[in-house]
Amino acid sequence: HNSAKYGNHETEITVSVRDNKTTFVIEIHNFGKALSEQDQKYLLNPSELDDFSRVTASLGWGLGLLIVKGVVDAHKGHLQLKSNDSEGTQFTIEIPKSRHGE
């Protein structure tokens, strides 16, 4: 939803899912105005932000990304964010495959 809302409406949103040997990888990419370094830092670690309401008000993000991060963390995965003007914005989710009994 955020990729469509904040991305460049004239470019595609790319969603890819890969099944690697030990992990599942989900990537969501769009072009548009890049997120500032400060906003990138605080979107994934809101506890470090003095005024989280400033970010949620200016970017329109509330609980959605926090819920995604919570699910990824619960599965012992990783969530990464890269955003710049030349390459666009990409969220990468990597979740390890689990095996019964491990």
Side-chain angles (χ1 to χ4, degrees):
H1 181 280
N2 286 336
S3 288
K5 185 175 180 180
Y6 296 105
N8 180 338
H9 296 202
E10 297 177 9
T11 61
E12 294 180 344
I13 297 169
T14 305
V15 178
S16 65
V17 179
R18 291 191 317 271
D19 181 354
N20 294 338
K21 187 174 185 175
T22 60
T23 62
F24 294 105
V25 179
I26 303 166
E27 294 176 332
I28 302 157
H29 177 270
N30 71 299
F31 286 101
K33 183 180 176 192
L35 297 166
S36 72
E37 286 185 33
Q38 181 182 13
D39 287 343
Q40 289 180 54
K41 176 182 173 183
Y42 294 130
L43 283 172
L44 298 181
N45 299 298
S47 62
E48 297 179 21
L49 183 61
D50 294 333
D51 185 8
F52 185 63
S53 62
R54 179 195 64 78
V55 173
T56 59
S58 66
L59 297 175
W61 288 335
L63 296 176
L65 190 56
L66 294 177
I67 292 169
V68 169
K69 184 168 179 3
V71 170
V72 170
D73 288 348
H75 288 280
K76 298 182 179 13
H78 301 284
L79 174 61
Q80 293 179 310
L81 166 59
K82 293 190 324 187
S83 184
N84 61 57
D85 287 327
S86 62
E87 296 175 350
T89 299
Q90 179 167 309
F91 286 90
T92 302
I93 299 168
E94 188 171 354
I95 299 176
K97 292 182 179 180
S98 62
R99 297 183 183 162
H100 296 289
E102 291 187 2

